[in-house]
Amino acid sequence: MMDRSELERTVRAFYRARNDHDLDAVMSLVDPDASFRIAGNFRLGPLTHMVEGASEIRARFADLIANWDLSVMKIESMHVDGDTAVVHRTGPVRFIPEDKFFDTEMMDKLTFREGRVIEFTEFVDTLLAAEIIGFVKPSGIWTGVPGVPMEPLDAMEDADRPNA
């Protein structure tokens, strides 16, 4: 089992490699028998499909790195229990194909074996992701009152905008 400070350094190296779009460095920290998934309902298909093994994970991470820039997100907190780290990140995410930014937050659960990630589960705003990539049509913002639409975001003052 890794000691706490070593595990925290490894987690930060993992995110640094991801932020640098360095797929080889990311994969150097992933166990060949690892699994990865974005938590969510099976109806979101490939977005939430679990992948297992180095080649499948490399392909999924390559796709994520090509489409999602997370480099401005910051680590809010990291909690370590044995060989597992739970990381809370916040900030803007850029959807690269459309060069659009979205504020969000994520929780990641990374479990390690012999210094490498063996299980990685990412908890993201799956509705936002599904809307951005076109899996579902954006439904607008819920105002809390059924049938009462909220004014469009671009008509709001910055101070009135909801935060993610």
Short mmCIF file of all heavy atoms in Angstrom, two decimals, residues 49-119:
data_model
loop_
_atom_site.label_atom_id
_atom_site.label_comp_id
_atom_site.label_asym_id
_atom_site.label_seq_id
_atom_site.Cartn_x
_atom_site.Cartn_y
_atom_site.Cartn_z
N HIS A 49 -20.30 4.02 -20.62
CA HIS A 49 -19.91 2.61 -20.78
C HIS A 49 -18.55 2.37 -20.10
O HIS A 49 -17.60 3.11 -20.32
CB HIS A 49 -19.81 2.28 -22.28
CG HIS A 49 -19.27 0.93 -22.56
ND1 HIS A 49 -20.01 -0.21 -22.38
CD2 HIS A 49 -18.05 0.54 -23.00
CE1 HIS A 49 -19.26 -1.26 -22.70
NE2 HIS A 49 -18.08 -0.83 -23.08
N MET A 50 -18.49 1.34 -19.26
CA MET A 50 -17.22 1.01 -18.61
C MET A 50 -16.25 0.42 -19.62
O MET A 50 -16.64 -0.38 -20.47
CB MET A 50 -17.42 -0.01 -17.48
CG MET A 50 -16.09 -0.40 -16.83
SD MET A 50 -16.24 -1.67 -15.57
CE MET A 50 -17.00 -0.74 -14.27
N VAL A 51 -15.00 0.84 -19.53
CA VAL A 51 -13.94 0.25 -20.34
C VAL A 51 -12.94 -0.41 -19.41
O VAL A 51 -12.71 0.05 -18.29
CB VAL A 51 -13.26 1.29 -21.27
CG1 VAL A 51 -14.21 1.76 -22.34
CG2 VAL A 51 -12.71 2.46 -20.49
N GLU A 52 -12.37 -1.51 -19.89
CA GLU A 52 -11.43 -2.27 -19.07
C GLU A 52 -10.20 -2.62 -19.89
O GLU A 52 -10.30 -2.92 -21.08
CB GLU A 52 -12.09 -3.55 -18.57
CG GLU A 52 -13.29 -3.28 -17.66
CD GLU A 52 -13.98 -4.55 -17.23
OE1 GLU A 52 -14.61 -5.19 -18.07
OE2 GLU A 52 -13.86 -4.88 -16.03
N GLY A 53 -9.06 -2.60 -19.24
CA GLY A 53 -7.80 -2.94 -19.89
C GLY A 53 -7.15 -1.72 -20.51
O GLY A 53 -7.81 -0.75 -20.88
N ALA A 54 -5.84 -1.79 -20.63
CA ALA A 54 -5.05 -0.64 -21.08
C ALA A 54 -5.44 -0.14 -22.47
O ALA A 54 -5.53 1.07 -22.68
CB ALA A 54 -3.56 -0.99 -21.04
N SER A 55 -5.70 -1.03 -23.42
CA SER A 55 -5.99 -0.56 -24.77
C SER A 55 -7.33 0.16 -24.84
O SER A 55 -7.47 1.19 -25.50
CB SER A 55 -5.92 -1.69 -25.80
OG SER A 55 -6.89 -2.66 -25.53
N GLU A 56 -8.36 -0.38 -24.16
CA GLU A 56 -9.66 0.30 -24.16
C GLU A 56 -9.60 1.63 -23.41
O GLU A 56 -10.19 2.62 -23.84
CB GLU A 56 -10.74 -0.60 -23.52
CG GLU A 56 -11.23 -1.71 -24.41
CD GLU A 56 -12.45 -2.41 -23.83
OE1 GLU A 56 -13.26 -1.76 -23.15
OE2 GLU A 56 -12.58 -3.62 -24.09
N ILE A 57 -8.88 1.63 -22.30
CA ILE A 57 -8.76 2.87 -21.52
C ILE A 57 -7.98 3.91 -22.32
O ILE A 57 -8.35 5.08 -22.36
CB ILE A 57 -8.12 2.60 -20.15
CG1 ILE A 57 -9.11 1.81 -19.29
CG2 ILE A 57 -7.73 3.90 -19.46
CD1 ILE A 57 -8.55 1.32 -17.98
N ARG A 58 -6.91 3.50 -22.99
CA ARG A 58 -6.15 4.44 -23.82
C ARG A 58 -7.05 5.06 -24.89
O ARG A 58 -7.03 6.27 -25.10
CB ARG A 58 -4.96 3.74 -24.48
CG ARG A 58 -4.19 4.64 -25.46
CD ARG A 58 -3.01 3.93 -26.07
NE ARG A 58 -1.87 3.94 -25.20
CZ ARG A 58 -1.02 4.96 -25.06
NH1 ARG A 58 -1.22 6.07 -25.73
NH2 ARG A 58 0.00 4.89 -24.24
N ALA A 59 -7.87 4.25 -25.53
CA ALA A 59 -8.77 4.78 -26.57
C ALA A 59 -9.77 5.76 -25.98
O ALA A 59 -10.02 6.82 -26.56
CB ALA A 59 -9.49 3.63 -27.28
N ARG A 60 -10.35 5.42 -24.82
CA ARG A 60 -11.33 6.33 -24.18
C ARG A 60 -10.65 7.62 -23.74
O ARG A 60 -11.17 8.71 -23.97
CB ARG A 60 -11.98 5.63 -23.00
CG ARG A 60 -12.93 6.52 -22.18
CD ARG A 60 -14.19 6.98 -22.91
NE ARG A 60 -15.04 5.90 -23.28
CZ ARG A 60 -15.96 5.35 -22.49
NH1 ARG A 60 -16.15 5.81 -21.29
NH2 ARG A 60 -16.67 4.34 -22.92
N PHE A 61 -9.49 7.52 -23.09
CA PHE A 61 -8.79 8.72 -22.65
C PHE A 61 -8.36 9.57 -23.84
O PHE A 61 -8.40 10.80 -23.77
CB PHE A 61 -7.58 8.37 -21.78
CG PHE A 61 -7.92 7.94 -20.37
CD1 PHE A 61 -6.92 7.53 -19.52
CD2 PHE A 61 -9.22 7.93 -19.89
CE1 PHE A 61 -7.19 7.13 -18.21
CE2 PHE A 61 -9.51 7.53 -18.59
CZ PHE A 61 -8.49 7.13 -17.75
N ALA A 62 -7.93 8.95 -24.93
CA ALA A 62 -7.55 9.71 -26.13
C ALA A 62 -8.74 10.51 -26.63
O ALA A 62 -8.60 11.69 -26.99
CB ALA A 62 -7.05 8.76 -27.22
N ASP A 63 -9.91 9.90 -26.64
CA ASP A 63 -11.13 10.59 -27.06
C ASP A 63 -11.47 11.73 -26.10
O ASP A 63 -11.79 12.85 -26.53
CB ASP A 63 -12.29 9.60 -27.15
CG ASP A 63 -13.56 10.25 -27.63
OD1 ASP A 63 -13.56 10.79 -28.77
OD2 ASP A 63 -14.56 10.24 -26.89
N LEU A 64 -11.40 11.46 -24.81
CA LEU A 64 -11.70 12.51 -23.82
C LEU A 64 -10.72 13.67 -23.93
O LEU A 64 -11.13 14.84 -23.90
CB LEU A 64 -11.70 11.92 -22.40
CG LEU A 64 -12.84 10.97 -22.08
CD1 LEU A 64 -12.60 10.29 -20.73
CD2 LEU A 64 -14.17 11.70 -22.09
N ILE A 65 -9.44 13.37 -24.06
CA ILE A 65 -8.42 14.42 -24.17
C ILE A 65 -8.62 15.24 -25.43
O ILE A 65 -8.44 16.46 -25.43
CB ILE A 65 -7.00 13.81 -24.09
CG1 ILE A 65 -6.71 13.36 -22.66
CG2 ILE A 65 -5.95 14.78 -24.59
CD1 ILE A 65 -5.45 12.53 -22.50
N ALA A 66 -9.02 14.60 -26.52
CA ALA A 66 -9.23 15.31 -27.79
C ALA A 66 -10.45 16.23 -27.75
O ALA A 66 -10.50 17.22 -28.48
CB ALA A 66 -9.39 14.30 -28.93
N ASN A 67 -11.42 15.91 -26.89
CA ASN A 67 -12.68 16.65 -26.89
C ASN A 67 -12.93 17.53 -25.67
O ASN A 67 -13.73 18.47 -25.76
CB ASN A 67 -13.85 15.68 -27.04
CG ASN A 67 -13.91 15.10 -28.43
OD1 ASN A 67 -14.28 15.78 -29.37
ND2 ASN A 67 -13.51 13.84 -28.58
N TRP A 68 -12.28 17.25 -24.56
CA TRP A 68 -12.56 17.96 -23.32
C TRP A 68 -11.27 18.49 -22.70
O TRP A 68 -10.41 17.71 -22.32
CB TRP A 68 -13.26 17.04 -22.32
CG TRP A 68 -14.56 16.51 -22.82
CD1 TRP A 68 -14.77 15.32 -23.46
CD2 TRP A 68 -15.83 17.15 -22.75
NE1 TRP A 68 -16.09 15.18 -23.78
CE2 TRP A 68 -16.78 16.29 -23.34
CE3 TRP A 68 -16.27 18.37 -22.23
CZ2 TRP A 68 -18.13 16.61 -23.45
CZ3 TRP A 68 -17.61 18.68 -22.32
CH2 TRP A 68 -18.52 17.81 -22.92
N ASP A 69 -11.18 19.79 -22.58
CA ASP A 69 -10.02 20.42 -21.93
C ASP A 69 -10.40 20.73 -20.48
O ASP A 69 -11.27 21.57 -20.23
CB ASP A 69 -9.64 21.70 -22.67
CG ASP A 69 -8.46 22.42 -22.05
OD1 ASP A 69 -7.87 21.90 -21.08
OD2 ASP A 69 -8.14 23.51 -22.54
N LEU A 70 -9.77 20.04 -19.55
CA LEU A 70 -10.04 20.22 -18.13
C LEU A 70 -8.91 20.97 -17.43
O LEU A 70 -8.87 21.03 -16.20
CB LEU A 70 -10.22 18.86 -17.45
CG LEU A 70 -11.17 17.86 -18.10
CD1 LEU A 70 -11.20 16.56 -17.31
CD2 LEU A 70 -12.54 18.44 -18.24
N SER A 71 -8.01 21.56 -18.19
CA SER A 71 -6.76 22.09 -17.62
C SER A 71 -6.93 23.29 -16.70
O SER A 71 -6.03 23.61 -15.94
CB SER A 71 -5.78 22.45 -18.74
OG SER A 71 -6.31 23.46 -19.57
N VAL A 72 -8.08 23.94 -16.72
CA VAL A 72 -8.29 25.10 -15.85
C VAL A 72 -8.99 24.70 -14.55
O VAL A 72 -9.02 25.46 -13.59
CB VAL A 72 -9.08 26.21 -16.59
CG1 VAL A 72 -9.20 27.46 -15.75
CG2 VAL A 72 -8.41 26.54 -17.92
N MET A 73 -9.49 23.48 -14.49
CA MET A 73 -10.14 23.02 -13.26
C MET A 73 -9.11 22.93 -12.14
O MET A 73 -7.93 22.67 -12.40
CB MET A 73 -10.79 21.65 -13.47
CG MET A 73 -11.96 21.68 -14.41
SD MET A 73 -12.87 20.13 -14.38
CE MET A 73 -13.93 20.45 -12.97
N LYS A 74 -9.58 23.15 -10.93
CA LYS A 74 -8.66 23.04 -9.79
C LYS A 74 -9.17 22.01 -8.81
O LYS A 74 -10.36 21.73 -8.73
CB LYS A 74 -8.46 24.40 -9.12
CG LYS A 74 -9.67 24.96 -8.46
CD LYS A 74 -9.36 26.29 -7.80
CE LYS A 74 -10.59 26.79 -7.07
NZ LYS A 74 -10.34 27.97 -6.29
N ILE A 75 -8.24 21.44 -8.08
CA ILE A 75 -8.58 20.48 -7.04
C ILE A 75 -9.03 21.26 -5.82
O ILE A 75 -8.27 22.05 -5.26
CB ILE A 75 -7.39 19.56 -6.71
CG1 ILE A 75 -7.03 18.70 -7.92
CG2 ILE A 75 -7.69 18.71 -5.48
CD1 ILE A 75 -5.79 17.84 -7.73
N GLU A 76 -10.28 21.03 -5.42
CA GLU A 76 -10.82 21.67 -4.21
C GLU A 76 -10.44 20.88 -2.98
O GLU A 76 -10.11 21.45 -1.95
CB GLU A 76 -12.34 21.78 -4.31
CG GLU A 76 -12.84 22.72 -5.38
CD GLU A 76 -12.53 24.18 -5.08
OE1 GLU A 76 -12.39 24.55 -3.89
OE2 GLU A 76 -12.43 24.95 -6.05
N SER A 77 -10.52 19.55 -3.09
CA SER A 77 -10.16 18.71 -1.96
C SER A 77 -9.80 17.32 -2.46
O SER A 77 -10.21 16.90 -3.55
CB SER A 77 -11.31 18.62 -0.94
OG SER A 77 -12.43 17.99 -1.51
N MET A 78 -8.98 16.65 -1.64
CA MET A 78 -8.61 15.27 -1.93
C MET A 78 -8.68 14.51 -0.60
O MET A 78 -8.11 14.95 0.39
CB MET A 78 -7.19 15.19 -2.49
CG MET A 78 -6.79 13.80 -2.89
SD MET A 78 -5.06 13.62 -3.48
CE MET A 78 -4.83 15.03 -4.53
N HIS A 79 -9.41 13.41 -0.61
CA HIS A 79 -9.55 12.58 0.59
C HIS A 79 -8.98 11.22 0.27
O HIS A 79 -9.33 10.61 -0.74
CB HIS A 79 -11.02 12.48 1.00
CG HIS A 79 -11.63 13.82 1.23
ND1 HIS A 79 -11.51 14.50 2.42
CD2 HIS A 79 -12.33 14.63 0.40
CE1 HIS A 79 -12.13 15.66 2.32
NE2 HIS A 79 -12.63 15.77 1.11
N VAL A 80 -8.09 10.76 1.14
CA VAL A 80 -7.41 9.49 0.92
C VAL A 80 -7.80 8.51 2.02
O VAL A 80 -7.80 8.86 3.21
CB VAL A 80 -5.88 9.69 0.90
CG1 VAL A 80 -5.15 8.37 0.80
CG2 VAL A 80 -5.48 10.62 -0.23
N ASP A 81 -8.15 7.30 1.61
CA ASP A 81 -8.44 6.22 2.54
C ASP A 81 -7.76 4.98 2.00
O ASP A 81 -8.20 4.40 0.98
CB ASP A 81 -9.95 6.01 2.65
CG ASP A 81 -10.32 4.93 3.67
OD1 ASP A 81 -9.45 4.54 4.47
OD2 ASP A 81 -11.48 4.48 3.64
N GLY A 82 -6.67 4.59 2.60
CA GLY A 82 -5.90 3.44 2.12
C GLY A 82 -5.36 3.72 0.73
O GLY A 82 -4.63 4.68 0.52
N ASP A 83 -5.73 2.86 -0.24
CA ASP A 83 -5.26 3.02 -1.62
C ASP A 83 -6.28 3.72 -2.52
O ASP A 83 -6.19 3.64 -3.74
CB ASP A 83 -4.96 1.64 -2.23
CG ASP A 83 -3.62 1.09 -1.75
OD1 ASP A 83 -2.75 1.90 -1.39
OD2 ASP A 83 -3.46 -0.14 -1.74
N THR A 84 -7.25 4.41 -1.91
CA THR A 84 -8.28 5.09 -2.68
C THR A 84 -8.26 6.58 -2.39
O THR A 84 -8.18 6.99 -1.23
CB THR A 84 -9.67 4.51 -2.37
OG1 THR A 84 -9.67 3.12 -2.72
CG2 THR A 84 -10.76 5.21 -3.15
N ALA A 85 -8.34 7.38 -3.45
CA ALA A 85 -8.44 8.83 -3.32
C ALA A 85 -9.75 9.28 -3.95
O ALA A 85 -10.13 8.80 -5.03
CB ALA A 85 -7.27 9.52 -4.02
N VAL A 86 -10.43 10.19 -3.28
CA VAL A 86 -11.63 10.83 -3.82
C VAL A 86 -11.26 12.30 -3.99
O VAL A 86 -10.83 12.95 -3.04
CB VAL A 86 -12.85 10.66 -2.90
CG1 VAL A 86 -14.04 11.42 -3.44
CG2 VAL A 86 -13.18 9.18 -2.75
N VAL A 87 -11.42 12.79 -5.22
CA VAL A 87 -10.96 14.14 -5.56
C VAL A 87 -12.14 14.98 -6.05
O VAL A 87 -12.87 14.55 -6.95
CB VAL A 87 -9.86 14.08 -6.64
CG1 VAL A 87 -9.34 15.48 -6.95
CG2 VAL A 87 -8.73 13.16 -6.22
N HIS A 88 -12.31 16.15 -5.45
CA HIS A 88 -13.35 17.10 -5.85
C HIS A 88 -12.67 18.21 -6.65
O HIS A 88 -11.76 18.87 -6.15
CB HIS A 88 -14.03 17.67 -4.60
CG HIS A 88 -15.07 18.69 -4.90
ND1 HIS A 88 -15.33 19.73 -4.05
CD2 HIS A 88 -15.93 18.85 -5.95
CE1 HIS A 88 -16.29 20.49 -4.55
NE2 HIS A 88 -16.66 19.96 -5.70
N ARG A 89 -13.11 18.39 -7.90
CA ARG A 89 -12.55 19.43 -8.77
C ARG A 89 -13.65 20.37 -9.23
O ARG A 89 -14.79 19.94 -9.44
CB ARG A 89 -11.87 18.81 -10.00
CG ARG A 89 -10.69 17.94 -9.65
CD ARG A 89 -10.00 17.37 -10.87
NE ARG A 89 -10.86 16.42 -11.55
CZ ARG A 89 -10.76 16.12 -12.85
NH1 ARG A 89 -9.87 16.72 -13.60
NH2 ARG A 89 -11.56 15.24 -13.40
N THR A 90 -13.30 21.63 -9.40
CA THR A 90 -14.25 22.63 -9.89
C THR A 90 -13.59 23.51 -10.94
O THR A 90 -12.37 23.63 -10.98
CB THR A 90 -14.76 23.54 -8.76
OG1 THR A 90 -13.65 24.27 -8.22
CG2 THR A 90 -15.45 22.76 -7.66
N GLY A 91 -14.43 24.15 -11.75
CA GLY A 91 -13.92 25.12 -12.70
C GLY A 91 -14.49 24.94 -14.09
O GLY A 91 -15.36 24.11 -14.32
N PRO A 92 -13.96 25.72 -15.00
CA PRO A 92 -14.45 25.65 -16.38
C PRO A 92 -13.88 24.45 -17.12
O PRO A 92 -12.74 24.06 -16.93
CB PRO A 92 -13.95 26.95 -17.01
CG PRO A 92 -12.78 27.34 -16.19
CD PRO A 92 -13.00 26.80 -14.81
N VAL A 93 -14.74 23.86 -17.94
CA VAL A 93 -14.37 22.78 -18.84
C VAL A 93 -14.62 23.30 -20.25
O VAL A 93 -15.63 23.94 -20.51
CB VAL A 93 -15.24 21.53 -18.57
CG1 VAL A 93 -15.03 20.48 -19.63
CG2 VAL A 93 -14.96 20.98 -17.19
N ARG A 94 -13.68 23.04 -21.14
CA ARG A 94 -13.87 23.47 -22.53
C ARG A 94 -14.19 22.27 -23.40
O ARG A 94 -13.47 21.27 -23.40
CB ARG A 94 -12.61 24.16 -23.07
CG ARG A 94 -12.76 24.64 -24.52
CD ARG A 94 -11.59 25.52 -24.96
NE ARG A 94 -10.36 24.79 -25.02
CZ ARG A 94 -9.74 24.43 -26.16
NH1 ARG A 94 -10.25 24.76 -27.33
NH2 ARG A 94 -8.60 23.79 -26.12
N PHE A 95 -15.31 22.39 -24.14
CA PHE A 95 -15.64 21.38 -25.15
C PHE A 95 -14.90 21.82 -26.41
O PHE A 95 -15.28 22.78 -27.08
CB PHE A 95 -17.15 21.29 -25.36
CG PHE A 95 -17.55 20.22 -26.32
CD1 PHE A 95 -17.15 18.90 -26.14
CD2 PHE A 95 -18.34 20.51 -27.41
CE1 PHE A 95 -17.53 17.90 -27.03
CE2 PHE A 95 -18.74 19.53 -28.31
CZ PHE A 95 -18.33 18.22 -28.11
N ILE A 96 -13.82 21.15 -26.72
CA ILE A 96 -12.88 21.56 -27.75
C ILE A 96 -13.51 21.69 -29.14
O ILE A 96 -13.26 22.69 -29.83
CB ILE A 96 -11.64 20.63 -27.76
CG1 ILE A 96 -10.90 20.77 -26.42
CG2 ILE A 96 -10.73 20.92 -28.94
CD1 ILE A 96 -9.82 19.73 -26.18
N PRO A 97 -14.34 20.75 -29.58
CA PRO A 97 -14.88 20.87 -30.95
C PRO A 97 -15.64 22.17 -31.21
O PRO A 97 -15.66 22.66 -32.33
CB PRO A 97 -15.81 19.66 -31.08
CG PRO A 97 -15.24 18.66 -30.14
CD PRO A 97 -14.73 19.47 -28.97
N GLU A 98 -16.27 22.73 -30.18
CA GLU A 98 -17.02 23.97 -30.36
C GLU A 98 -16.37 25.15 -29.66
O GLU A 98 -16.90 26.26 -29.68
CB GLU A 98 -18.45 23.78 -29.85
CG GLU A 98 -19.22 22.76 -30.68
CD GLU A 98 -20.65 22.56 -30.19
OE1 GLU A 98 -21.12 23.35 -29.35
OE2 GLU A 98 -21.28 21.60 -30.65
N ASP A 99 -15.22 24.92 -29.02
CA ASP A 99 -14.50 25.94 -28.28
C ASP A 99 -15.42 26.70 -27.32
O ASP A 99 -15.42 27.92 -27.25
CB ASP A 99 -13.79 26.92 -29.22
CG ASP A 99 -12.73 27.75 -28.49
OD1 ASP A 99 -12.16 27.23 -27.51
OD2 ASP A 99 -12.51 28.91 -28.89
N LYS A 100 -16.22 25.93 -26.56
CA LYS A 100 -17.13 26.52 -25.58
C LYS A 100 -16.75 26.06 -24.19
O LYS A 100 -16.36 24.91 -23.98
CB LYS A 100 -18.58 26.10 -25.88
CG LYS A 100 -19.12 26.73 -27.14
CD LYS A 100 -20.59 26.42 -27.29
CE LYS A 100 -21.12 27.11 -28.56
NZ LYS A 100 -22.51 26.77 -28.80
N PHE A 101 -16.89 27.00 -23.23
CA PHE A 101 -16.56 26.73 -21.84
C PHE A 101 -17.83 26.58 -21.02
O PHE A 101 -18.82 27.29 -21.26
CB PHE A 101 -15.73 27.87 -21.26
CG PHE A 101 -14.31 27.88 -21.74
CD1 PHE A 101 -13.99 28.47 -22.95
CD2 PHE A 101 -13.30 27.31 -20.99
CE1 PHE A 101 -12.68 28.50 -23.41
CE2 PHE A 101 -11.99 27.33 -21.44
CZ PHE A 101 -11.68 27.91 -22.65
N PHE A 102 -17.78 25.69 -20.02
CA PHE A 102 -18.89 25.45 -19.12
C PHE A 102 -18.34 25.29 -17.72
O PHE A 102 -17.40 24.53 -17.51
CB PHE A 102 -19.64 24.17 -19.52
CG PHE A 102 -20.13 24.18 -20.93
CD1 PHE A 102 -19.32 23.71 -21.96
CD2 PHE A 102 -21.38 24.68 -21.25
CE1 PHE A 102 -19.76 23.73 -23.28
CE2 PHE A 102 -21.82 24.71 -22.56
CZ PHE A 102 -21.01 24.24 -23.57
N ASP A 103 -18.90 26.01 -16.75
CA ASP A 103 -18.51 25.82 -15.36
C ASP A 103 -19.16 24.56 -14.82
O ASP A 103 -20.35 24.31 -15.07
CB ASP A 103 -18.93 27.01 -14.50
CG ASP A 103 -18.04 28.21 -14.70
OD1 ASP A 103 -16.84 28.02 -14.99
OD2 ASP A 103 -18.53 29.34 -14.56
N THR A 104 -18.39 23.77 -14.09
CA THR A 104 -18.93 22.53 -13.55
C THR A 104 -18.09 22.09 -12.36
O THR A 104 -17.14 22.77 -11.97
CB THR A 104 -18.98 21.43 -14.63
OG1 THR A 104 -19.79 20.35 -14.16
CG2 THR A 104 -17.62 20.95 -15.05
N GLU A 105 -18.44 20.97 -11.80
CA GLU A 105 -17.62 20.33 -10.78
C GLU A 105 -17.69 18.82 -11.00
O GLU A 105 -18.63 18.32 -11.60
CB GLU A 105 -18.03 20.72 -9.37
CG GLU A 105 -19.44 20.43 -8.98
CD GLU A 105 -19.77 21.00 -7.61
OE1 GLU A 105 -19.10 20.63 -6.63
OE2 GLU A 105 -20.69 21.82 -7.53
N MET A 106 -16.66 18.16 -10.52
CA MET A 106 -16.54 16.71 -10.72
C MET A 106 -16.02 16.08 -9.44
O MET A 106 -15.30 16.72 -8.67
CB MET A 106 -15.54 16.41 -11.84
CG MET A 106 -15.84 17.09 -13.15
SD MET A 106 -14.46 17.00 -14.31
CE MET A 106 -14.92 15.55 -15.18
N MET A 107 -16.38 14.81 -9.27
CA MET A 107 -15.81 14.00 -8.20
C MET A 107 -15.22 12.77 -8.88
O MET A 107 -15.86 12.16 -9.74
CB MET A 107 -16.88 13.55 -7.20
CG MET A 107 -17.48 14.66 -6.38
SD MET A 107 -16.38 15.34 -5.14
CE MET A 107 -16.28 14.01 -3.98
N ASP A 108 -14.01 12.44 -8.51
CA ASP A 108 -13.34 11.27 -9.06
C ASP A 108 -12.95 10.33 -7.93
O ASP A 108 -12.51 10.79 -6.87
CB ASP A 108 -12.06 11.67 -9.81
CG ASP A 108 -12.33 12.54 -11.02
OD1 ASP A 108 -13.41 12.43 -11.61
OD2 ASP A 108 -11.44 13.34 -11.37
N LYS A 109 -13.12 9.05 -8.16
CA LYS A 109 -12.68 8.03 -7.22
C LYS A 109 -11.62 7.19 -7.92
O LYS A 109 -11.90 6.55 -8.94
CB LYS A 109 -13.85 7.15 -6.79
CG LYS A 109 -13.46 6.04 -5.84
CD LYS A 109 -14.69 5.20 -5.48
CE LYS A 109 -14.28 3.98 -4.72
NZ LYS A 109 -14.36 2.76 -5.52
N LEU A 110 -10.40 7.26 -7.42
CA LEU A 110 -9.28 6.54 -8.01
C LEU A 110 -8.74 5.55 -6.98
O LEU A 110 -8.38 5.93 -5.87
CB LEU A 110 -8.16 7.49 -8.40
CG LEU A 110 -8.52 8.57 -9.42
CD1 LEU A 110 -8.77 9.89 -8.71
CD2 LEU A 110 -7.41 8.73 -10.42
N THR A 111 -8.70 4.27 -7.36
CA THR A 111 -8.14 3.24 -6.50
C THR A 111 -6.85 2.75 -7.13
O THR A 111 -6.79 2.54 -8.35
CB THR A 111 -9.14 2.08 -6.32
OG1 THR A 111 -10.35 2.61 -5.76
CG2 THR A 111 -8.59 1.02 -5.39
N PHE A 112 -5.83 2.60 -6.29
CA PHE A 112 -4.50 2.26 -6.77
C PHE A 112 -4.08 0.86 -6.34
O PHE A 112 -4.52 0.35 -5.30
CB PHE A 112 -3.48 3.27 -6.22
CG PHE A 112 -3.61 4.63 -6.84
CD1 PHE A 112 -4.57 5.51 -6.38
CD2 PHE A 112 -2.79 5.01 -7.88
CE1 PHE A 112 -4.71 6.78 -6.95
CE2 PHE A 112 -2.92 6.26 -8.46
CZ PHE A 112 -3.88 7.14 -8.00
N ARG A 113 -3.24 0.25 -7.16
CA ARG A 113 -2.58 -1.01 -6.83
C ARG A 113 -1.14 -0.86 -7.29
O ARG A 113 -0.88 -0.57 -8.46
CB ARG A 113 -3.25 -2.18 -7.54
CG ARG A 113 -2.59 -3.52 -7.23
CD ARG A 113 -3.34 -4.70 -7.79
NE ARG A 113 -3.23 -4.69 -9.25
CZ ARG A 113 -4.02 -5.39 -10.05
NH1 ARG A 113 -5.00 -6.12 -9.57
NH2 ARG A 113 -3.84 -5.35 -11.36
N GLU A 114 -0.23 -1.04 -6.36
CA GLU A 114 1.20 -0.93 -6.64
C GLU A 114 1.55 0.36 -7.38
O GLU A 114 2.33 0.37 -8.33
CB GLU A 114 1.67 -2.16 -7.43
CG GLU A 114 1.50 -3.46 -6.65
CD GLU A 114 1.87 -4.69 -7.44
OE1 GLU A 114 2.43 -4.57 -8.55
OE2 GLU A 114 1.59 -5.79 -6.95
N GLY A 115 0.95 1.45 -6.94
CA GLY A 115 1.30 2.77 -7.46
C GLY A 115 0.63 3.18 -8.76
O GLY A 115 0.92 4.23 -9.31
N ARG A 116 -0.29 2.35 -9.27
CA ARG A 116 -0.97 2.67 -10.53
C ARG A 116 -2.48 2.57 -10.34
O ARG A 116 -2.97 1.77 -9.54
CB ARG A 116 -0.50 1.73 -11.63
CG ARG A 116 1.02 1.87 -11.88
CD ARG A 116 1.53 0.86 -12.82
NE ARG A 116 1.29 1.35 -14.18
CZ ARG A 116 1.59 0.65 -15.26
NH1 ARG A 116 2.08 -0.56 -15.16
NH2 ARG A 116 1.37 1.14 -16.45
N VAL A 117 -3.20 3.34 -11.12
CA VAL A 117 -4.67 3.33 -11.04
C VAL A 117 -5.18 1.99 -11.52
O VAL A 117 -4.86 1.55 -12.63
CB VAL A 117 -5.28 4.46 -11.91
CG1 VAL A 117 -6.80 4.38 -11.90
CG2 VAL A 117 -4.80 5.83 -11.45
N ILE A 118 -6.00 1.34 -10.67
CA ILE A 118 -6.62 0.07 -11.04
C ILE A 118 -8.11 0.25 -11.29
O ILE A 118 -8.72 -0.48 -12.06
CB ILE A 118 -6.36 -1.03 -9.97
CG1 ILE A 118 -6.86 -2.39 -10.44
CG2 ILE A 118 -6.97 -0.66 -8.63
CD1 ILE A 118 -6.10 -2.98 -11.59
N GLU A 119 -8.70 1.27 -10.67
CA GLU A 119 -10.12 1.56 -10.88
C GLU A 119 -10.32 3.06 -10.80
O GLU A 119 -9.87 3.72 -9.86
CB GLU A 119 -10.96 0.87 -9.81
CG GLU A 119 -12.45 1.06 -9.99
CD GLU A 119 -13.24 0.39 -8.88
OE1 GLU A 119 -12.80 -0.66 -8.37
OE2 GLU A 119 -14.31 0.93 -8.54
#
